[in-house]
Amino acid sequence: MTVETQQSDFDRELEILRSEFVHMSLTRPHFVVIFGSWVSCHHGAAYGPPNDIDVLIVTEARCTGLDASFHVLVEHAESCEDRISQSGKWIPVNFTVRTLREWMDPEDPLLGDVRSWSHIVLGNKPGEDLVFVNPRPRANRH
């Protein structure tokens, strides 16, 4: 696979993630962060193919498996997986939800890991994303 093909796959998959998560009406995210090995391997880190796509959704209120908004997030993640698999590649999409207050907590170990990896804060459309590149993330603590 050429670098151009990898980049076009990355861009296509990023657009799928944006279309599914950024404009959700039920959860109304403050912002959506894509992180982990999927982002890092497309920004110069020397990894093999990523095993999954990690999505952090920062919302006003926490949602759990009992909330309707949680089930909507599951549907969006599954839709991403289905749409990405149409290109012949299946990769799971995992999401985590944090409140804005939790996002600001410097003691949250997951958020410390998110900030140590390369990550993308999705904008409303292409060209509005904030990309943070860290080719050497600290060891994953999970």
Side-chain angles (χ1 to χ4, degrees):
M1 183 179 290
T2 67
V3 171
E4 293 82 18
T5 303
Q6 289 174 342
Q7 188 60 40
S8 64
D9 286 349
F10 175 79
D11 291 339
R12 186 181 61 77
E13 293 164 5
L14 193 63
E15 277 312 300
I16 290 170
L17 295 164
R18 181 190 328 281
S19 70
E20 290 291 340
F21 288 112
V22 169
H23 301 290
M24 293 181 295
S25 59
L26 187 60
T27 59
R28 291 190 176 86
H30 284 289
F31 52 92
V32 177
V33 181
I34 311 301
F35 67 101
S37 60
W38 185 81
V39 173
S40 292
C41 81
H42 291 289
H43 285 92
Y47 297 106
N51 295 324
D52 60 6
I53 300 174
D54 298 301
V55 180
L56 173 67
I57 301 156
V58 180
T59 64
E60 189 61 40
R62 190 85 148 120
C63 68
T64 66
L66 301 175
D67 299 328
S69 57
F70 182 84
H71 295 287
V72 168
L73 291 171
V74 169
E75 290 172 6
H76 283 278
E78 290 173 348
S79 179
C80 285
E81 293 169 354
D82 291 343
R83 292 173 62 193
I84 290 169
S85 72
Q86 291 174 5
S87 68
K89 163 173 109 176
W90 188 83
I91 186 166
V93 175
N94 303 314
F95 68 88
T96 302
V97 179
R98 290 291 194 272
T99 65
L100 191 54
R101 170 174 263 158
E102 290 169 328
W103 171 256
M104 306 297 263
D105 180 0
E107 301 300 316
D108 185 311
L110 171 67
L111 298 179
D113 284 346
V114 168
R115 292 180 186 110
S116 74
W117 284 88
S118 295
H119 59 281
I120 300 171
V121 179
L122 291 179
N124 286 320
K125 57 187 176 183
E128 294 181 352
D129 301 331
L130 299 174
V131 179
F132 299 89
V133 177
N134 181 2
R136 289 195 225 176
R138 26 178 223 220
N140 195 350
R141 294 184 280 179
H142 306 293

